[in-house]
Amino acid sequence: MTNKEIAKSFQLLGELMELHDENPFKIRSYQNAYLQLRKMDQPLSALSEEQLSALKGVGNAISGKIRELVENGKMETLERYKAQTPAGLLEVLEVQGLGPKKIRTLWQDLGIESIGELLYAVNENRLVELKGFGAKTQEDLRKKLEFFQGTRNLFHYGAVEGEALALLERLRAQLPGQRIELTGAIRRKANIVSEIELLVEGTLPEPPFSPFPVKVHTAGAENFGTAWLQTTGGEAIWGEIATSNTPSPEEALLFAAAGLPFVEPELRDNPSAVNWAQNKQLPKLVAETDLKGLLHAHSTYSDGMHTLREMALHARSLGYQYLGITDHSQSAFYANGLKPDRVQAQWAEIDALNAELAPFRIFKGIESDILNDGRLDYEPDILAGFEFIIASVHSNIRMDEEKATRRLIAAIEHPRTTILGHPTGRLLLSRAGYPIDHKKVIDACAAHGVAIELNANPYRLDLDWTWIPYAREKGVFISINPDAHSKNGMLDMHFGVCSARKGGLSAEGCLNAMDLEAVGRIFKLTLR
């Protein structure tokens, strides 16, 4: 099992014990184990019993449970609590923002044991008199349940891509004489997918094994290109091109026959791509190799897993010219946000590292919380010392469109704001995000020279790619940012690029595709 899987087992154990009203000290120990284990770099499976017991937050009892998971894939204590819990309640625990204590109340007082029963109780207005609930909480829960039901059996592209590519490689090795390709939403690199789709020349001898649903299409060699264009999907016009031409072994021949340039699969969801193709104005899509630096990363100064030095060295080892370090600001107490004295300490360390690592550069940034009234999270003298500022909402996120839009625009109008971070705060498949008037927000960014982040974390991918064409039309730069809380988090840039390409972003419109000198000019710095 991976460290993440092991850590999540302890998280679930803590939740189930809380659901059953068990010893709070034991619950806290398992919750602490979850927080510590998920941050581990070294595989837990490679550690001895003594090494496990010596870890912070891990003693003999927890180390024994880790060993169970590593050796058997199961933990006896967790399995016992699962057996005591109605299966439907395990699913209710997955609903974002509905914790074990509230679920216990629903279970004990109303006999609710499933998502369906809970939604029925909400619709019947049965929660308003329960302790800890009320009309407002009930309505909020209704929205969360409807969102949860609408996203079941769906997966983040980032969770599926690796398995899809591995499956493709296995099948090609097993069937060397047959052409096999990915198709459907996985080929279009959709943010969210429901299955892995394959196009196979001929047939498969048996259904492929995968932890994700797999759908197999078949075609002959002579019409493989036609079938690939049809099954890849996207805007209806691409399927029409496939059906209006003679069956073809290659997709590119079908585009040529229709008098169109080849349209990359990622663009085929984008309505603008139809006009771009018809007018021979397809953008040259941004590629990972175009990116020159990272402009959103956290260190151990706030809630990151690695030190500032470790993050800088890793970014440099990946070939980047610069790293914008953006730890959380002081109001983010839950993330160990930086008070002014710690800001000053970090600046001093950055100066020393820049002298040592030149020509690689660390930019002094901050991810400043946008406060409830739209202000940034420091006094003017501290704000003036940062070389760039990402302004993001992290608290009080239950806002209507008018409030959310007004709050973002107030931060955009601040003269020190450089980048608007994850503009809707969404978490794909977990939280819809607050509603905003995208056009007003983008127009404000255009008026004040503020870039917009495309947060590359596959759970966010926010700004949504559908707004990239409008942003670029208005001259707003997009910054593909990893929001990295560890060295490995920098690899999420891949998913940000996939989403940016869907929106038709080119390197010319990407802030961090600029080299060190150009970004320095944007930040109004003199770099030597």
Side-chain angles (χ1 to χ4, degrees), residues 302-375:
S302 62
D303 60 346
M305 288 174 58
H306 294 105
T307 65
L308 178 55
R309 170 181 286 275
E310 289 171 329
M311 294 294 280
L313 290 175
H314 193 65
R316 188 176 70 166
S317 75
L318 294 174
Y320 293 111
Q321 299 176 9
Y322 52 87
L323 170 67
I325 198 71
T326 51
D327 279 302
H328 286 285
S329 64
Q330 59 185 346
S331 290
F333 61 88
Y334 50 85
N336 193 29
L338 276 65
K339 297 293 185 184
D341 60 324
R342 296 179 62 233
V343 169
Q344 299 284 352
Q346 186 180 70
W347 287 349
E349 184 175 352
I350 289 173
D351 286 339
L353 284 169
N354 278 339
E356 175 188 341
L357 302 178
F360 182 84
R361 171 79 180 226
I362 304 170
F363 287 116
K364 298 172 184 174
I366 195 76
E367 185 177 18
S368 172
D369 270 27
I370 299 175
L371 305 181
N372 199 44
D373 59 1
R375 289 180 297 117

Side-chain angles (χ1 to χ4, degrees), residues 453-527:
E453 173 177 88
L454 194 169
N455 191 295
N457 186 309
Y459 292 87
R460 285 195 185 272
L461 298 176
D462 181 20
L463 180 76
D464 190 86
W465 65 262
T466 57
W467 287 102
I468 290 177
Y470 184 77
R472 291 305 302 136
E473 177 188 324
K474 295 295 180 177
V476 175
F477 284 108
I478 303 298
S479 187
I480 303 175
N481 293 343
D483 198 354
H485 285 69
S486 68
K487 293 186 293 186
N488 284 341
M490 295 180 187
L491 301 180
D492 284 345
M493 292 294 281
H494 167 73
F495 303 112
V497 169
C498 290
S499 198
R501 287 169 64 90
K502 295 184 70 62
L505 186 67
S506 63
E508 291 74 21
C510 180
L511 178 64
N512 56 306
M514 296 180 184
D515 64 20
L516 176 60
E517 295 296 327
V519 168
R521 288 193 293 272
I522 292 287
F523 294 170
K524 298 181 174 61
L525 303 174
T526 301
L527 303 182

Side-chain angles (χ1 to χ4, degrees), residues 85-102:
T85 308
L89 283 185
L90 292 172
E91 191 174 44
V92 176
L93 279 167
E94 296 177 27
V95 178
Q96 188 81 5
L98 187 61
K101 288 183 180 178
K102 279 197 163 97

Side-chain angles (χ1 to χ4, degrees), residues 231-473:
T231 57
T232 295
E235 287 290 300
I237 187 173
W238 316 126
E240 293 167 7
I241 290 171
T243 56
S244 64
N245 287 284
T246 305
S248 170
E250 300 294 339
E251 274 186 323
L253 297 176
L254 295 167
F255 281 100
L260 298 173
F262 181 79
V263 177
E264 295 289 346
E266 299 98 306
L267 270 180
R268 297 185 199 173
D269 283 322
N270 192 330
S272 299
V274 179
N275 289 331
W276 293 338
Q278 290 172 339
N279 294 314
K280 308 295 190 295
Q281 294 177 338
L282 281 171
K284 182 182 178 182
L285 300 182
V286 66
E288 290 180 65
T289 52
D290 292 321
L291 304 182
K292 302 298 191 296
L294 308 175
L295 290 174
H296 187 165
H298 300 264
S299 72
T300 50
Y301 271 94
S302 62
D303 60 346
M305 288 174 58
H306 294 105
T307 65
L308 178 55
R309 170 181 286 275
E310 289 171 329
M311 294 294 280
L313 290 175
H314 193 65
R316 188 176 70 166
S317 75
L318 294 174
Y320 293 111
Q321 299 176 9
Y322 52 87
L323 170 67
I325 198 71
T326 51
D327 279 302
H328 286 285
S329 64
Q330 59 185 346
S331 290
F333 61 88
Y334 50 85
N336 193 29
L338 276 65
K339 297 293 185 184
D341 60 324
R342 296 179 62 233
V343 169
Q344 299 284 352
Q346 186 180 70
W347 287 349
E349 184 175 352
I350 289 173
D351 286 339
L353 284 169
N354 278 339
E356 175 188 341
L357 302 178
F360 182 84
R361 171 79 180 226
I362 304 170
F363 287 116
K364 298 172 184 174
I366 195 76
E367 185 177 18
S368 172
D369 270 27
I370 299 175
L371 305 181
N372 199 44
D373 59 1
R375 289 180 297 117
L376 299 188
D377 187 19
Y378 287 107
E379 294 302 315
D381 60 327
I382 297 294
L383 291 174
F386 293 110
E387 294 175 330
F388 79 108
I389 292 175
I390 297 176
S392 306
V393 170
H394 291 109
S395 59
N396 300 320
I397 62 175
R398 295 181 183 177
M399 301 177 284
D400 60 24
E401 183 178 301
E402 181 182 357
K403 168 67 186 294
T405 302
R406 186 169 65 248
R407 185 175 173 186
L408 293 188
I409 290 176
I412 291 165
E413 291 174 344
H414 194 288
R416 296 296 301 153
T417 298
T418 317
I419 302 171
L420 176 64
H422 46 72
T424 73
R426 75 179 185 184
L427 293 174
L428 292 168
L429 301 183
S430 295
R431 185 173 73 204
Y434 39 81
I436 65 173
D437 186 323
H438 279 83
K439 287 190 174 182
K440 285 184 178 179
V441 169
I442 292 169
D443 289 348
C445 286
H448 295 276
V450 172
I452 299 180
E453 173 177 88
L454 194 169
N455 191 295
N457 186 309
Y459 292 87
R460 285 195 185 272
L461 298 176
D462 181 20
L463 180 76
D464 190 86
W465 65 262
T466 57
W467 287 102
I468 290 177
Y470 184 77
R472 291 305 302 136
E473 177 188 324

